[in-house]
Amino acid sequence: PDQPVSGAAITKDEARISVQGVPDVPGTSLEIFSRIAAKNISVDMIVQNVGESGKADISFTVPQLDFDAALEAVQEAAKLVGATDVSSDSNVAKVSVVGLGMARQTGVAEKMFRALADAGINIQMITTSEIKISVLVDRDQSQQALRIVHQAFALEKVPTTPIKP
Amino acid sequence: PDQPVSGAAITKDEARISVQGVPDVPGTSLEIFSRIAAKNISVDMIVQNVGESGKADISFTVPQLDFDAALEAVQEAAKLVGATDVSSDSNVAKVSVVGLGMARQTGVAEKMFRALADAGINIQMITTSEIKISVLVDRDQSQQALRIVHQAFALEKVPTTPIKP
Ligand SMILES: C[C@@H](O)[C@H](N)C(=O)O
Ligand SMILES: C[C@@H](O)[C@H](N)C(=O)O
């Protein structure tokens, strides 16, 4: 379609927790997320990149309200699996572009990343699906990020049908 | 909803490329994906976790057919941005669970990860959206991964309306 992106969204109520240097073996992800689920904490993003030298990093985001409980749950899991470190950042927000026509369209990712780069906004995490690209950015820059992504994809120009008087 | 997961899917035509140790500064993601977009290569997953010590790793998947061209494009970008390394694996597949009711439901992630862990299938990458959790696994284990995920979420028990003779 000529307009693969139909909208942009922001989620400001995010806090990021990362478990670093966990054994990249079956059971590790389960250990971490079963403990978070057991505390009835709702997780938004989950991001894991490929491991190196048998170790991987797993990050996820939760609502600010659940940050302390999630951090506690993760620290228990981190000890159990022998993680190297637990890090976190509660000053983050998720900014996304959404569109039914964007599947596998690298140009959409390029356009979004160009808009953020031109504004000097650092991309902390990236996660995608066929209909969505989400990035994690500094919360203080997130409103600006949303605005420039709107501009980049001409989303504010909402077509309107004139109402006859 | 009582059944947050409505389906599972597999994409076997995947190859993974990772650019490691890239400067975690605005413009890096743009450099990589603009070069891939310029070659008209369609990217499926994009995964980036938070950086450490000013460096980050960015991974993405492409169809097998585009692997060589994508690797070439990435190697140029990697040199330009001063990446530490480029790694890749063309023996991978993406397995996903999908559902409109799964947003922020950590229990869904737990169930999916438990199924894979019990089968000894290693999760290489994780990416999520409100309606989908995708993992990258070894292609040789992917059919089994799809099957056990179907079982875990009772997806094979498709309700059917008997046709009157
Ligand atoms: C790192 C973590 O995802 C591990 N590979 C697992 O399968 O649980
Ligand atoms: C690593 C990469 O995503 C970088 N932070 C950027 O904004 O482009």
Side-chain angles (χ1 to χ4, degrees):
Chain A
D2 55 342
Q3 175 59 317
V5 172
S6 55
I10 188 171
T11 307
K12 284 192 171 179
D13 183 18
E14 299 269 14
R16 187 264 306 166
I17 296 172
S18 302
V19 200
Q20 282 146 343
V22 298
D24 187 12
V25 295
T28 299
S29 288
L30 172 62
E31 189 64 50
I32 292 163
F33 291 99
S34 59
R35 280 166 185 284
I36 297 163
K39 294 201 171 185
N40 289 317
I41 293 165
S42 56
V43 165
D44 183 18
M45 296 166 92
I46 300 174
V47 173
Q48 182 206 312
N49 208 333
V50 291
E52 284 173 71
S53 320
K55 299 234 173 254
D57 302 333
I58 303 175
S59 296
F60 62 92
T61 61
V62 294
Q64 288 257 295
L65 207 67
D66 291 332
F67 180 60
D68 291 336
L71 200 55
E72 192 178 330
V74 160
Q75 274 155 349
E76 289 174 38
K79 271 211 204 74
L80 248 141
V81 302
T84 320
D85 203 13
V86 173
S87 73
S88 61
D89 186 349
S90 57
N91 189 22
V92 294
K94 180 178 71 172
V95 175
S96 309
V97 293
V98 186
L100 295 177
M102 70 156 65
R104 293 168 177 270
Q105 289 210 33
T106 314
V108 173
E110 174 188 11
K111 197 174 209 168
M112 183 186 196
F113 299 162
R114 183 179 304 281
L116 295 167
D118 288 350
I121 295 172
N122 199 44
I123 298 166
Q124 300 180 11
M125 293 192 348
I126 304 169
T127 178
T128 60
S129 74
E130 278 80 355
I131 60 170
K132 188 183 250 204
I133 300 173
S134 292
V135 298
L136 200 73
V137 298
D138 205 306
R139 189 177 300 120
D140 303 333
Q141 298 183 308
S142 62
Q143 202 63 49
Q144 180 193 8
L146 181 71
R147 194 165 49 245
I148 58 165
V149 157
H150 261 124
Q151 285 167 8
F153 291 98
L155 291 171
E156 71 277 24
K157 303 195 181 72
V158 179
T160 51
T161 312
I163 298 168
K164 290 196 169 65
Chain B
D2 56 340
Q3 176 61 317
V5 172
S6 56
I10 188 170
T11 307
K12 283 192 173 179
D13 183 19
E14 299 270 12
R16 187 264 307 165
I17 297 172
S18 302
V19 200
Q20 282 147 342
V22 298
D24 188 12
V25 296
T28 299
S29 287
L30 172 63
E31 189 65 50
I32 293 163
F33 291 98
S34 58
R35 280 166 185 284
I36 297 164
K39 293 201 171 185
N40 290 317
I41 293 166
S42 56
V43 165
D44 183 20
M45 295 165 93
I46 300 173
V47 174
Q48 182 206 312
N49 209 334
V50 292
E52 284 173 71
S53 320
K55 299 233 173 254
D57 302 333
I58 302 175
S59 295
F60 61 92
T61 61
V62 294
Q64 289 256 296
L65 207 68
D66 293 332
F67 180 60
D68 292 336
L71 200 53
E72 194 179 331
V74 161
Q75 273 154 350
E76 289 174 38
K79 272 212 203 73
L80 248 142
V81 302
T84 320
D85 203 13
V86 172
S87 73
S88 62
D89 185 349
S90 57
N91 189 24
V92 294
K94 180 178 71 172
V95 175
S96 309
V97 293
V98 185
L100 295 177
M102 70 157 64
R104 296 169 176 270
Q105 289 212 31
T106 314
V108 173
E110 175 189 9
K111 198 174 208 168
M112 183 185 195
F113 299 162
R114 184 178 303 282
L116 296 167
D118 288 351
I121 295 172
N122 199 45
I123 297 166
Q124 300 179 9
M125 294 193 345
I126 304 169
T127 179
T128 60
S129 75
E130 279 80 355
I131 59 169
K132 188 182 248 201
I133 299 173
S134 292
V135 298
L136 201 72
V137 298
D138 205 307
R139 188 178 300 119
D140 303 334
Q141 298 183 307
S142 62
Q143 201 63 49
Q144 181 195 6
L146 181 71
R147 192 166 51 244
I148 58 167
V149 158
H150 262 124
Q151 285 167 9
F153 290 98
L155 292 171
E156 72 276 25
K157 304 194 181 73
V158 179
T160 51
T161 311
I163 299 166
K164 291 195 168 62

